[in-house]
Amino acid sequence: MGGSVDSCPPPGWPVLPHDDAARRDAFLARLARMTPESRLAAARYRFKPWERRIWARHYPEEVPLVNGEAEWIALHLVDVE
């Protein structure tokens, strides 16, 4: 049997690219369409680790720091005051 209708994305949803370069480029295009505030909120609550790294590399001024370390990394450090 073929795939179910539930496995297809809803109409109008972008189909995610399959290779890493295409996925990165699609993500960068998505970042460019977002406001700084929405990028920060997404980085805190929705981004995958690889997405956070790309966001931090392309928008370093938006990355909140805690004791000089990126916020999401500092959350896992024992010596954060």
Side-chain angles (χ1 to χ4, degrees):
M1 290 190 172
S4 70
V5 174
D6 294 333
S7 66
C8 296
W13 280 36
V15 176
L16 292 176
H18 293 287
D19 65 47
D20 289 341
R23 185 177 356 179
R24 182 197 62 234
D25 292 344
F27 180 67
L28 284 170
R30 200 171 105 214
L31 283 176
R33 291 189 303 269
M34 298 168 79
T35 65
E37 294 80 14
S38 61
R39 282 191 293 264
L40 177 59
R44 284 181 169 158
Y45 303 110
R46 293 194 317 262
F47 283 176
K48 296 173 183 153
W50 70 269
E51 293 171 327
R52 283 190 191 110
R53 289 190 300 270
I54 291 173
W55 165 66
R57 178 175 285 172
H58 289 272
Y59 298 93
E61 70 283 355
E62 295 177 4
V63 178
L65 302 178
V66 177
N67 293 340
E69 190 63 69
E71 180 181 69
W72 72 87
I73 295 171
L75 290 172
H76 300 288
L77 299 176
V78 176
D79 60 347
V80 173
E81 296 177 12

